[in-house]
Amino acid sequence: MNQTAAALDVQGEHQPPFSNHPGLRQAFSQGRMTLGVITPLEGFSGPVPALADHVGLIQQAERAGFASVWVRDVPLLDPTFGDTGQVFDTWAYLGHLAATTERISLGTSSVVLPLHHPLDTAKAASSIDHLSGGRFLLGVATGDRPVEFPAYGVDYESRGERFRDSVAYLRTVTENRFPTVSSPLGTMQGTDLLPKPTHGRLPVFMTGRGRQEIEWIAEHTDGWLYYTPPLQQQALNVKRWRELTHRDEGAFKPFNQATYLDLSENPTAEPSPVHQGISVGREPLLELLHAWQDIGIDQLMLNFKQSRRPVREVIDELAQYVLPHFPPGGQADATADTA
């Protein structure tokens, strides 16, 4: 037994500043774009992945220099809608990844808040934050699969309001000791939620619009996870986000873009569209990545579902030719410090 290990500050009595959150520092580097991956790390047709060596691929992505890995929250199989993510329960999977990775930030993309009680989400998220050494990023969403809501007894049409109530509840119980809560989702008084987050609060990232006004998103979350519209449209989205989050005044709330990638074996293959992304060779891809960086994307989150090549080969190629241009935040900061 290790007698010298520091006790965990589960009550939040001596938390380091939020600006030092390891997950944020690894995932982002102001002024530079980083790259992340979305689980599962494989190409597959239909809704259900094979999950062969799924943890080994995430460990390979960490060694290659990806800044973060984002885990899905898809409770039920809807054969008519997209895919089932990594299949496993979000929190059980993140607990396993916390134990089998060392540096890579661990995020959710995203927890469907209206389907879960905010107390359960808060406790699970804060637990992963501790178990990963502060590497956790909480992506949240309202949900876009109507079939899931009746199974939980939740009204689909009211999900936007329930989402706002959930964010407020989650913030209150994770950022205060023995809080008083009066919410449509429950009340609390004279009791407390443990553990508290490692750095005062959880980094909360909104996915899409989620039936919310962008002003609300900018005020109540720490970052935005968005899709892949045309470059000029995305540039306007980023510009508006920067204005609302006061980036010019020194505030930093990241803007992430999720993109499906099919990396061609031909390194010069020109881009062609696939569902919510592109099929492209590495040389045009590098040009496109720099263009996304130039408009202010803080992290590009790659989804490999459309990949026609083994993703292990794709990660190796990206590690050699692409990732050195977009290192994780910690590596980029270290390079800047020693330059």
Side-chain angles (χ1 to χ4, degrees):
M1 183 176 180
N2 184 359
Q3 299 293 337
T4 62
L8 294 181
D9 182 18
V10 297
Q11 296 188 71
E13 296 176 317
H14 307 289
Q15 295 163 319
F18 184 70
S19 59
N20 290 341
H21 192 282
L24 289 171
R25 292 175 66 87
Q26 171 74 5
F28 302 104
S29 179
Q30 292 195 48
R32 307 187 193 187
M33 189 172 74
T34 62
L35 300 182
V37 291
I38 300 174
T39 59
L41 274 59
E42 65 176 90
F44 59 102
S45 59
V48 183
L51 298 174
D53 195 26
H54 55 96
V55 174
L57 287 164
I58 292 172
Q59 292 170 328
Q60 181 193 5
E62 179 178 53
R63 293 191 301 269
F66 282 98
S68 59
V69 56
W70 300 84
V71 172
R72 309 278 293 283
D73 176 25
V74 185
L76 301 176
L77 168 61
D78 179 358
T80 67
F81 191 108
D83 64 77
T84 58
Q86 75 286 335
V87 176
F88 301 114
D89 173 78
T90 304
W91 304 113
Y93 197 45
L94 284 168
H96 186 60
L97 294 181
T100 52
T101 60
E102 297 178 358
R103 301 174 306 280
I104 197 166
S105 296
L106 305 176
T108 52
S109 177
S110 292
V111 174
V112 183
L113 286 187
L115 297 184
H116 309 287
H117 195 279
L119 269 178
D120 295 331
T121 300
K123 190 172 187 73
S126 296
S127 297
I128 296 299
D129 198 31
H130 276 278
L131 293 172
S132 65
R135 292 185 281 142
F136 180 64
L137 311 173
L138 178 61
V140 294
T142 55
D144 56 4
R145 305 184 186 212
V147 71
E148 294 175 336
F149 285 74
Y152 281 86
V154 175
D155 177 46
Y156 183 69
E157 295 304 321
S158 65
R159 66 193 185 281
E161 181 180 357
R162 186 179 178 91
F163 176 86
R164 292 191 299 275
D165 290 337
S166 295
V167 170
Y169 200 131
L170 183 146
R171 288 289 203 191
T172 299
V173 299
T174 55
E175 298 172 19
N176 301 277
R177 300 185 68 191
F178 291 92
T180 297
V181 178
S182 180
S183 165
L185 303 178
T187 60
M188 274 180 62
Q189 189 169 8
T191 188
D192 202 8
L193 175 79
L194 299 180
K196 297 300 183 193
T198 60
H199 286 67
R201 59 191 177 92
L202 294 166
V204 176
F205 287 73
M206 181 70 192
T207 300
R209 289 293 295 266
R211 301 172 73 89
Q212 312 304 323
E213 296 295 331
I214 185 174
E215 291 82 3
W216 185 94
I217 298 170
E219 180 180 355
H220 291 90
T221 71
D222 301 297
W224 202 6
L225 312 181
Y226 208 74
Y227 307 106
T228 308
L231 186 68
Q232 291 183 339
Q233 180 182 340
Q234 192 74 304
L236 294 175
N237 291 335
V238 174
K239 183 175 184 290
R240 180 62 173 151
W241 179 250
R242 298 283 185 258
E243 293 170 349
L244 290 172
T245 58
H246 307 289
R247 182 69 161 263
D248 291 343
E249 300 171 18
F252 179 58
K253 292 191 175 186
F255 188 106
N256 288 24
Q257 175 178 298
T259 299
Y260 285 73
L261 175 65
D262 172 32
L263 188 67
S264 173
E265 291 182 339
N266 176 4
T268 64
E270 291 297 317
S272 60
V274 298
H275 176 66
Q276 295 186 18
I278 52 170
S279 178
V280 65
R282 67 169 183 263
E283 294 179 11
L285 173 64
L286 193 57
E287 295 178 6
L288 185 54
L289 293 176
H290 281 293
W292 278 324
Q293 178 174 258
D294 289 343
I295 67 169
I297 302 296
D298 293 300
Q299 183 174 120
L300 187 72
M301 305 156 63
L302 296 178
N303 189 321
F304 296 111
K305 186 181 189 299
Q306 307 292 338
S307 180
R308 290 172 292 179
R309 296 171 59 189
V311 171
R312 184 170 294 280
E313 293 180 9
V314 173
I315 293 175
D316 282 341
E317 185 170 340
L318 294 174
Q320 183 174 357
Y321 297 102
V322 175
L323 283 159
H325 297 270
F326 305 96
Q331 292 184 22
D333 293 344
T335 300
D337 291 341
T338 58

